[in-house]
Amino acid sequence: MEGDCLSCIKYLMFVFNFLIFLGGSFLLGVGVWVVVDPTGFREIVAANPLLFTGVYIILAMGGMLFLLGFLGCCGAIRENKCLLLFFFMLILIIFLAELAAAILAFVFREHLTREYFTKELKRHYQGYNNTDVFTSTWNAIMNTFDCCGVNSPEDFEDSIFRLINPGEVVPEACCRRNSHLGEVGFSNREECLSGSMLYRNNKGCYSSVVDYFEMYIYVAGALAIVVLTIELFAMVFAMCLFKGIQ
């Protein structure tokens, strides 16, 4: 009976670690895609240092989970106490690191609010200086999502952009574009820059980006909860199997 129980724990641990292995592979894939993506997603993420740092955290965590899943599977199948103990210690460290990251994300959540982005836009966005990372990133966001400002085009009032370009109400990146015979051009650039609502994008980028990524945010949150749960079960099974091996 005891042997059957040990065998059951062994295969359950293998299954849980295989799921961890798959989760690590998924996180690695997402992280690599964001870093090398040719469509400009990397520039969008770079709009906020916390988000940009988060990409490399995802890469690191994905790599660790990939390795841990592999070690856990090998330790369970081979019934190797050293591998099991090493696996338990590493997954405990990762589990605590993930909890710390979640707490930090909650503490610094104000850096992801509309007010924070609006304040940063007014202070640092220059309009046409593409050598400036902040400016070129915001241009990429507004061109990609057909939006203007954080909340609306009114965000450029009393901004450094208006000081640098006193004759323009909004930057060129806010202007609507038409595609004709494969060529993309402005609907009416001059009217747009002078503030005409008919020729500019009037939706704020905050709403556009949140709407676009809303489903992915919920999926990522659900995946994080699943991964944490799997890690807890994996640690329990590792210790049970470790104690059961003679």
Side-chain angles (χ1 to χ4, degrees):
M1 185 70 181
E2 184 179 344
D4 292 339
C5 183
L6 188 63
S7 179
C8 180
I9 291 175
K10 169 181 164 181
Y11 289 109
L12 278 175
M13 183 179 171
F14 177 84
V15 170
F16 274 109
N17 279 284
F18 184 69
L19 293 175
I20 291 175
F21 177 82
L22 291 179
S25 302
F26 174 78
L27 291 177
L28 269 178
V30 170
V32 170
W33 171 65
V34 172
V35 170
V36 304
D37 177 45
T39 61
F41 188 79
R42 176 176 53 184
E43 294 181 349
I44 295 171
V45 173
N48 189 290
L50 289 175
L51 295 179
F52 192 72
T53 303
V55 172
Y56 291 96
I57 292 176
I58 287 175
L59 272 173
M61 298 306 295
M64 289 295 292
L65 289 176
F66 181 90
L67 176 62
L68 279 173
F70 179 77
L71 286 175
C73 288
C74 291
I77 292 299
R78 295 174 62 88
E79 297 187 9
N80 188 302
K81 297 187 77 169
C82 290
L83 279 178
L84 288 172
L85 184 60
F86 183 60
F87 165 82
F88 177 83
M89 295 302 297
L90 277 181
I91 205 168
L92 178 62
I93 292 171
I94 288 180
F95 182 80
L96 294 176
E98 288 171 342
L99 283 180
I103 293 171
L104 286 174
F106 178 78
V107 171
F108 291 103
R109 66 191 184 281
E110 66 271 10
H111 291 284
L112 300 176
T113 61
R114 290 176 182 266
E115 292 75 16
Y116 175 81
F117 283 116
T118 304
K119 181 176 65 175
E120 292 298 299
L121 182 74
K122 288 179 179 290
R123 286 181 177 178
H124 304 295
Y125 180 77
Q126 300 174 30
Y128 303 100
N129 182 10
N130 284 321
T131 60
D132 177 65
V133 175
F134 187 90
T135 298
S136 61
T137 298
W138 265 103
N139 284 336
I141 292 172
M142 290 189 285
N143 287 324
T144 301
F145 292 97
D146 294 326
C147 56
C148 186
V150 178
N151 306 289
S152 70
E154 281 67 37
D155 290 337
F156 293 102
E157 295 178 1
D158 303 320
S159 67
I160 190 173
F161 166 77
R162 294 292 294 275
L163 292 176
I164 299 174
N165 307 278
E168 299 179 5
V169 176
V170 294
E172 186 180 272
C174 287
C175 297
R176 289 185 179 176
R177 290 170 169 79
N178 291 330
S179 180
H180 179 67
L181 299 178
E183 296 183 0
V184 179
F186 295 107
S187 299
N188 191 319
R189 181 178 181 276
E190 290 71 23
E191 288 293 324
C192 168
L193 297 180
S194 66
S196 174
M197 295 180 64
L198 294 175
Y199 301 103
R200 74 186 186 192
N201 298 311
N202 294 295
K203 186 176 182 179
C205 292
Y206 192 94
S207 297
S208 296
V209 172
V210 169
D211 291 345
Y212 182 82
F213 289 109
E214 184 174 16
M215 183 185 71
Y216 301 102
I217 292 172
Y218 288 124
V219 170
L223 180 64
I225 293 173
V226 170
V227 168
L228 288 172
T229 303
I230 290 173
E231 287 173 354
L232 275 174
F233 277 104
M235 285 190 289
V236 171
F237 288 145
M239 277 295 96
C240 291
L241 189 57
F242 179 85
K243 290 182 178 181
I245 294 175
Q246 299 300 325

